[in-house]
Amino acid sequence: MASLLLGLAVVLLFLAVAGGASRWLGLSAIPAYILLGVFFGGPGLSTEAVHLIEAIGVALLLFFVGLEFSFLRLRSQARSLAAAGGIDLLVNFPVGLVAGLLLGWPFPASFLLGAALYISSSAIVAGNIAQLRRAAYPDTESALGILVAEDIIIAVILAGLALWLPIPGRDIPPAVTFGAIAGLLVILFVLGRPLCRVLDRIGERLENEALLLLVSGILLLFSGAALATGLSEAIGAFAAGLLVGDSSLKERVEGLLGPFQGLFAALFFFGFGLGIDEGALTGVWRAGLLISVAALASKLIGAWWIGARRGLSHAVRVNLGLTISPRGEFSILVASYGVAAGHAELRPLVAAVVIILAIAGSLLTQAGPRIGAAAARGIAHLGSSPL
């Protein structure tokens, strides 16, 4: 226990210095947290402690995002979310698939690379939105909708892969995961309003301490149930945030849980960095950089298409693509399937792309409004130029 506390103390001090320096430079702290995990490790922290920190961190991140993203709007926009998710899959999945085939990989490994590079990092994107205070930006609702669609699609893909590939550390029948997806949709689109009314009646009778315990229990219940059924804790936490966000408890909950969000978010990104093997990255940086550029371009193309369907301006479309460009925890999860099936070549390449796009994506997200405005001016200039 003493070593755990001392190790955690060292980690928090490093994170405080890195976070303070990043903000002094006007940068997002997320890349610094990830790099600390990669290069310095977690002195005295057990694997179980790191995994628990990661789970709570991503749960709080997505819960707070859900608070700002109205459940009622989500239900009313189900058709547009499905369209956005389909476009996102169509544009982004082929990048990894084609890259794997060009590298001479067998089709199963190339397919898994496509799945790994298709999906954005919910945690990093949500962390960027929260840290940069962009919950009210015009592109944020579209970005979060794409993340929700991606989580559901990747869950279906993973459940299908479980029919012929083992899930590392878990043995969850695909039928359970498909059932969890159906149950989540029922909760969101059928039981949402009744559950909000129940929360309102219970919450108005509770003091702050009891309310904090109640909401924390709901958050962990949704997250744990999602994880236990083959989904990510992120999608469970997001669903919990959606429900609480449409109740009268929203402002009280934000005040009670808000101080914990930054702490566990920083620890999550540090723990994520711990899972990346620095030594295995040496020989794949060139390929990783080229694939990262292609993956970034595909997100911009997909976001442009989605934004055009929604009537977003040119600047907002560019900003949307940059916002959803980071890859992260889901990419690592998909790569683990390939490693379990004997495709060890996936691990270092996916890790390289994750590091590049987690850092570059966060920096580009910060500069997104300026880049989008510059792109819009360039397009307007080209449109006004004589042929």
Side-chain angles (χ1 to χ4, degrees):
M1 179 61 71
S3 62
L4 175 61
L5 293 177
L6 291 173
L8 183 58
V10 172
V11 168
L12 291 177
L13 291 173
F14 271 116
L15 292 175
V17 172
S22 297
R23 288 181 173 83
W24 183 73
L25 293 171
L27 302 174
S28 169
I30 291 174
Y33 296 154
I34 295 173
L35 286 176
L36 273 177
V38 172
F39 294 115
F40 293 101
L45 287 181
S46 67
T47 302
E48 293 78 10
V50 171
H51 288 168
L52 179 60
I53 288 169
E54 289 178 342
I56 296 176
V58 73
L60 279 173
L61 279 172
L62 270 295
F63 178 78
F64 272 86
V65 171
L67 284 178
E68 301 298 330
F69 187 64
S70 169
F71 157 75
L72 296 177
R73 290 202 305 270
L74 175 64
R75 188 172 66 174
S76 66
Q77 297 173 5
R79 184 173 299 178
S80 65
L81 290 179
I87 293 172
D88 184 52
L89 179 66
L90 178 65
V91 173
N92 290 283
F93 189 90
V95 173
L97 176 64
V98 172
L101 294 174
L102 290 176
L103 289 170
W105 291 6
F107 181 80
S110 300
F111 181 89
L112 287 168
L113 183 61
L117 301 188
Y118 142 70
I119 187 167
S120 306
S121 168
S122 297
I124 295 176
V125 173
N128 287 333
I129 291 172
Q131 286 200 8
L132 298 173
R133 299 179 180 178
R134 292 184 179 173
Y137 273 40
D139 59 285
T140 296
E141 184 171 326
S142 295
L144 297 177
I146 292 171
L147 293 181
V148 171
E150 285 185 345
D151 274 1
I152 294 174
I153 291 171
I154 205 67
V156 173
I157 292 174
L158 293 177
L161 291 173
L163 293 171
W164 57 280
L165 288 177
I167 300 178
R170 292 187 294 170
D171 185 18
I172 302 173
V176 173
T177 302
F178 286 121
I181 294 171
L184 181 61
L185 293 175
V186 169
I187 291 173
L188 290 178
F189 297 107
V190 178
L191 302 178
R193 284 186 176 178
L195 288 174
C196 283
R197 288 196 292 267
V198 171
L199 282 174
D200 287 341
R201 292 175 182 174
I202 295 176
E204 67 185 10
R205 295 176 171 83
L206 296 178
E207 299 294 333
N208 284 343
E209 180 180 348
L211 179 61
L212 176 62
L213 294 172
L214 172 65
V215 174
S216 299
I218 293 173
L219 167 59
L220 295 178
L221 175 63
F222 272 71
S223 300
L227 195 60
T229 54
L231 299 172
S232 72
E233 67 269 32
I235 192 65
F238 183 76
L242 287 174
L243 294 176
V244 176
D246 273 314
S247 71
S248 62
L249 307 176
K250 177 182 175 181
E251 292 185 3
R252 289 178 65 192
V253 171
E254 287 178 330
L256 291 172
L257 281 176
F260 299 100
Q261 181 190 12
L263 170 63
F264 281 99
L267 289 172
F268 166 77
F269 291 112
F270 178 83
F272 174 71
L274 289 178
I276 300 175
D277 183 4
E278 179 184 356
L281 302 176
T282 306
V284 297
W285 279 111
R286 181 175 299 177
L289 182 59
L290 291 174
I291 293 173
S292 296
V293 172
L296 174 61
S298 70
K299 283 293 181 183
L300 287 169
I301 293 170
W304 188 274
W305 187 356
I306 293 169
R309 286 177 54 89
R310 296 188 173 190
L312 301 179
S313 69
H314 293 159
V316 173
R317 295 182 210 175
V318 173
N319 196 29
L320 173 60
L322 296 176
T323 298
I324 62 175
S325 64
R327 301 333 193 255
E329 65 283 357
F330 296 114
S331 300
I332 298 297
L333 175 61
V334 173
S336 68
Y337 281 87
V339 174
H343 302 294
E345 65 271 23
L346 275 164
R347 188 191 300 276
L349 183 58
V350 171
V353 174
V354 164
I355 292 176
I356 293 170
L357 288 180
I359 296 172
S362 294
L363 296 175
L364 289 170
T365 298
Q366 183 181 13
R370 296 191 297 274
I371 296 174
R377 289 194 298 269
I379 293 170
H381 177 72
L382 289 175
S384 62
S385 299
L387 295 177

